[in-house]
């Protein structure tokens, strides 16, 4: 859970508003502006209001929270922001509104003056459903439901992808290079643009003076170009700093390239890179990376929840990944970034001052003093409470009845599951959370299936997804089939197809049972995996 107290600008906000907050964002080159979106679909703003970026009718700065009438009740789901700053908001219905600095029409209006009133971005986006938005320094991107990318704004380095360096006043479809591709993700650096297609291929265009496009050169590109240094790597996420880029692969690896004067590539040096280079090979599997075009800092989260930072942190250059005690990667930007702006809008929980019932229950897990029943697994003990187990789990509700022998026992021995798996299950009953190594998650999936726990099944699937590798992918696919986990099955199947050659050479593939092997080959063939 994000502690908004780490963001100084929220110290002036009344708790009554923070209690209602659903999404918050702090933005601007100096982190002097903020929006709060509440559960009631109201938007509030405070800060410097540079270039009318807060969309307030007064047009002036404010240290007191003000309701933004023009943005309230629009069902806004996220924001993106540029350097002017200009701001885009995406609604649940797929419409985009823009306002703020507009010197280069980055708001989507053919005007060079600031836009105070949030205005629907139309033109080529009219009638289309936008699914993602991204802002660079002075340009903007939008991804629509069909997988097409539209761009507008400043184009001095080709960041619009139009094949020229002429500014674009209204949205224009990016056709060269990616026109026939189904794009699934977009990102912007200060003057560069990135896109990932549904095959995990990465494309880049725009300013390349620091090698941030990853194309092996320093030449600007006015059209999207395939990042050939990542051919054979399935990219799932791309993020951009001011002049550097980070990519996350489906195998949990991080690749970095671009400017490195502050160590923001995490390579251990300050030398720029013009092609992607894998970093942090000794830190295990990563599940997230973040960066922000306002700053020269980077962060990443491992599958076990460890947060690392590198780059310009508190004015110091950190050239290798540094472990932190943050529980949320985004908190690093509040505490360490030279520009205390968020890398992305954040969804938050309610601020609490007293322990809730759920917190108290969580603290009672494995408490020998208050326990009335003990589970013994692999000669290890877990102390729990019979009444809570009966309330939280139908399986235990049935078990602790007069006609079951377990009802009268103070100790119950478990032989069907390992200690890590059953411990994680019992802890889940108390906390709704699962902490388990990926290799044990299949056992937990089995347990969730046997005990009819659908939520636990979903959490197990998430752990498995975060822990998938070439070596275990086909085994995880077989497990997903066995336990009727459709989403996990689809995820594992796509991973296997994306890494077909490597997967088929593993011991797990060689040991696959005949029926599963036949089904996999048939489906892969229908998917087009064997076409030349």
């Amino acid at each position: 859970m994000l502690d908004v107290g780490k963001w100084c600008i929220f110290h002036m906000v009344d708790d009554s508003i923070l209690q209602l907050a659903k999404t918050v964002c702090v933005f601007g080159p100096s982190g002097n502006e903020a929006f709060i979106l509440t559960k009631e679909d109201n938007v509030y703003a405070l800060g410097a209001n540079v270039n009318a970026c807060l969309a307030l009718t007064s047009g002036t700065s404010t240290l007191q929270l003000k309701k933004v009438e023009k943005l309230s009740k629009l069902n806004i789901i996220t924001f993106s922001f540029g350097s002017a700053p200009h701001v885009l908001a995406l609604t649940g219905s797929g419409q985009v509104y823009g306002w703020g600095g507009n010197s280069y029409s980055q708001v989507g209006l053919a005007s060079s003056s600031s836009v105070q009133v949030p205005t629907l971005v139309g033109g080529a986006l009219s009638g289309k459903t936008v699914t993602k938005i991204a802002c660079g320094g002075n340009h903007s991107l939008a991804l629509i439901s069909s997988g097409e990318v539209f761009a507008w704004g400043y184009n001095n380095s080709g960041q619009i992808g139009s094949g020229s360096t002429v500014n674009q006043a209204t949205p224009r479809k990016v056709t060269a290079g990616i026109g026939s591709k189904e794009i699934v993700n977009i990102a912007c650096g200060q003057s560069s643009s990135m896109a990932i297609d549904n095959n995990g291929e990465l494309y880049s265009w725009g300013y390349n003076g620091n090698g941030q496009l990853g194309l092996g050169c320093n030449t600007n590109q006015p059209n999207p170009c395939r990042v050939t240094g990542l051919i054979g790597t399935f990219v799932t996420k791309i993020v951009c700093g001011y002049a550097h880029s980070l990519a996350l692969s489906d195998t949990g690896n991080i690749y970095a390239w671009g400017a490195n004067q502050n160590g923001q590539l995490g390579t251990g040096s300050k030398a720029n890179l013009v092609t992607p280079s894998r970093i942090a090979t000794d830190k295990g599997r990563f599940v997230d990376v973040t960066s922000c075009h306002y700053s020269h800092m980077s962060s990443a989260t491992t599958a076990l929840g460890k947060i690392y930072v590198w780059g310009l942190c508190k004015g110091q250059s950190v050239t290798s990944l540094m472990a932190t005690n943050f529980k949320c990667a985004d908190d690093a930007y509040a505490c360490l970034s030279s520009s205390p702006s968020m890398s992305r809008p954040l969804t938050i929980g309610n601020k609490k001052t007293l322990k809730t019932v759920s917190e108290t229950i969580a603290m009672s897990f494995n408490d020998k003093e208050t326990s009335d029943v003990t589970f013994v697994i692999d000669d290890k003990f877990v102390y729990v409470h019979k009444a809570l187990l009966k309330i939280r789990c139908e399986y235990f509700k049935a078990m602790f009845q007069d006609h079951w022998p377990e009802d009268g026992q103070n100790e119950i021995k478990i032989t069907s599951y390992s200690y890590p798996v059953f411990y994680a299950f019992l802890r889940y009953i108390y906390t709704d959370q699962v902490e388990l190594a990926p290799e044990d998650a299949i056992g937990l999936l089995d347990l969730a299936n046997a005990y009819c726990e659908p939520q636990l099944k979903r959490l197990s699937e998430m752990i498995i997804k975060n822990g998938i590798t070439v070596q275990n992918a086909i085994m995880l696919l077989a497990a997903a089939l066995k336990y009727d986990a459709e989403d996990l099955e689809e995820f594992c199947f796509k991973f296997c197809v994306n890494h077909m050659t490597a997967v088929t050479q593993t011991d797990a593939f060689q040991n696959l049972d005949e029926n599963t092997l036949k089904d996999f080959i048939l489906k892969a063939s229908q998917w087009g995996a064997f076409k030349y």
Side-chain angles (χ1 to χ4, degrees):
M1 180 184 296
L2 174 72
D3 178 6
V4 295
K6 290 182 172 64
W7 299 89
C8 295
I9 197 167
F10 291 127
H11 291 177
M12 296 171 283
V13 177
D14 190 271
D15 277 356
S16 62
I17 296 294
L18 292 177
Q19 290 284 349
L20 296 174
K22 179 172 69 174
T23 300
V24 300
C25 63
V26 178
F27 63 100
S30 300
N32 287 333
E33 285 88 12
F35 284 116
I36 297 176
L37 174 61
T38 72
K39 298 170 185 175
E40 299 171 338
D41 199 21
N42 291 319
V43 178
Y44 295 86
L46 79 161
N49 202 25
V50 176
N51 288 325
C53 64
L54 297 182
L56 297 171
T57 54
S58 65
T60 59
S61 302
T62 176
L63 291 178
Q64 293 184 325
L65 205 64
K66 303 288 185 183
K67 185 176 180 180
V68 187
E69 298 290 350
K70 295 292 184 179
L71 294 176
S72 297
K73 309 305 180 184
L74 286 180
N75 188 26
I76 291 172
I77 57 175
T78 193
F79 298 91
S80 188
F81 24 83
S83 293
H86 74 285
V87 187
L88 298 180
L90 177 63
T91 71
S93 61
Q95 294 183 312
V96 179
Y97 288 81
W99 66 94
N102 195 45
S103 299
Y104 304 99
S105 300
Q106 58 265 49
V107 168
L109 299 176
S111 166
S112 60
S113 57
S114 298
V115 176
Q116 183 173 320
V117 178
T119 304
L120 184 65
V121 180
L125 287 183
S126 295
K128 294 179 173 61
T129 302
V130 177
T131 58
K132 291 183 180 356
I133 53 176
C135 292
N138 292 291
H139 73 289
S140 305
L141 299 181
L143 175 64
I144 67 172
S145 55
S146 62
E148 298 168 298
V149 178
F150 290 78
W152 62 97
Y154 198 30
N155 194 36
N156 66 323
S157 302
Q159 56 264 51
I160 301 305
S162 61
S164 73
T165 54
V166 177
N167 295 347
Q168 180 66 36
T170 56
R172 175 191 182 279
K173 181 181 174 181
V174 182
T175 55
I178 61 172
S180 61
K181 305 288 184 178
E182 181 185 345
I183 302 302
V184 296
N185 217 334
I186 54 176
C188 291
Q190 183 71 8
S191 302
S192 60
S193 302
M194 301 272 182
I196 305 171
D197 72 9
N198 62 337
N199 291 315
E201 297 173 352
L202 180 64
Y203 296 82
S204 62
W205 62 99
Y207 183 68
N208 196 32
N210 296 282
Q212 56 261 61
L213 300 187
L215 302 176
C217 65
N218 293 101
T219 305
N220 296 348
Q221 299 294 332
N223 287 314
C225 298
R226 175 82 185 276
V227 180
T228 56
L230 288 173
I231 289 178
T233 299
F234 193 98
V235 178
T236 57
K237 184 174 183 179
I238 180 72
V239 295
C240 301
Y242 185 91
H244 76 286
S245 309
L246 302 172
L248 180 68
S249 76
D250 64 343
T251 53
N253 299 328
I254 297 177
Y255 297 84
W257 62 95
N260 197 28
Q261 71 273 28
N262 293 291
Q264 57 264 50
L265 299 186
T267 58
S269 76
K270 293 185 179 182
N272 291 1
L273 293 176
V274 296
T275 55
S277 176
R278 186 182 168 193
I279 63 169
T281 57
D282 61 337
K283 298 294 189 293
R285 183 188 182 91
F286 290 93
V287 296
D288 193 24
V289 289
T290 65
S291 197
C292 176
H293 66 77
Y294 288 142
S295 71
H296 306 287
M297 195 178 92
S298 308
S299 80
T301 306
T302 70
L304 297 178
K306 192 66 178 176
I307 311 297
Y308 289 89
V309 298
W310 63 100
L312 189 60
C313 303
K314 277 290 186 181
Q316 299 183 47
S317 295
V318 179
T319 61
S320 297
L321 277 68
M322 179 176 67
T324 74
N325 292 320
F326 293 118
K327 301 300 183 184
C328 170
D330 303 279
D331 288 350
Y333 290 85
C335 299
L336 300 177
S337 177
S338 56
S339 172
S341 297
M342 292 180 174
S343 62
R344 55 199 171 188
L346 301 179
T347 299
I348 64 173
N350 290 340
K351 189 175 181 180
K352 294 175 283 189
T353 55
L354 299 175
K355 287 187 177 69
T356 63
V357 173
S358 61
E359 288 174 326
T360 304
I361 290 173
M363 292 175 64
S364 68
F365 172 63
N366 210 14
D367 182 2
K368 187 176 181 179
E369 295 278 335
T370 60
S371 165
D372 60 358
V373 64
T374 304
F375 283 94
V376 184
I377 317 103
D378 299 336
D379 296 324
K380 298 177 182 178
F381 301 92
V382 184
Y383 304 98
V384 289
H385 306 79
K386 188 181 296 185
L388 181 59
L389 298 188
K390 291 168 66 175
I391 291 171
R392 290 278 288 151
C393 177
E394 289 295 325
Y395 182 89
F396 286 126
K397 185 176 181 180
M399 175 188 287
F400 294 121
Q401 294 185 13
D402 293 340
H403 58 278
W404 278 56
E406 286 87 353
D407 183 50
Q409 297 176 4
N410 293 325
E411 287 190 359
I412 301 172
K413 192 168 185 177
I414 299 295
T415 58
S416 302
Y417 301 100
S418 68
Y419 174 78
V421 167
F422 209 78
Y423 179 92
F425 169 51
L426 294 175
R427 183 178 179 276
Y428 161 78
I429 289 176
Y430 282 73
T431 66
D432 280 326
Q433 298 175 357
V434 176
E435 291 183 2
L436 193 65
E439 55 268 24
D440 291 317
I442 293 178
L444 190 62
L445 181 62
D446 181 17
L447 185 152
N449 217 48
Y451 284 31
C452 300
E453 291 286 337
Q455 174 65 15
L456 182 61
K457 185 176 179 179
R458 286 191 289 272
L459 291 173
S460 302
E461 291 175 14
M462 185 179 300
I463 294 171
I464 292 171
K465 288 179 180 180
N466 286 341
I468 194 169
T469 66
V470 165
Q471 297 300 321
N472 66 20
I474 200 72
M475 177 189 67
L476 298 182
L477 175 60
L481 288 166
K482 179 179 179 181
Y483 300 122
D484 195 28
E486 293 182 1
D487 287 345
L488 179 61
E489 176 191 344
E490 189 68 15
F491 177 87
C492 293
F493 171 76
K494 289 182 178 179
F495 185 96
C496 289
V497 170
N498 292 335
H499 303 274
M500 178 70 79
T501 301
V503 167
T504 56
Q505 294 174 354
T506 62
D507 292 340
F509 189 86
Q510 305 304 320
N511 296 327
L512 205 60
D513 69 88
E514 185 176 347
N515 289 333
T516 303
L517 178 60
K518 287 180 179 178
D519 290 342
F520 172 73
I521 292 174
L522 177 61
K523 187 175 180 181
S525 177
Q526 294 169 343
W527 188 265
F530 305 118
K531 291 181 180 178
Y532 292 97

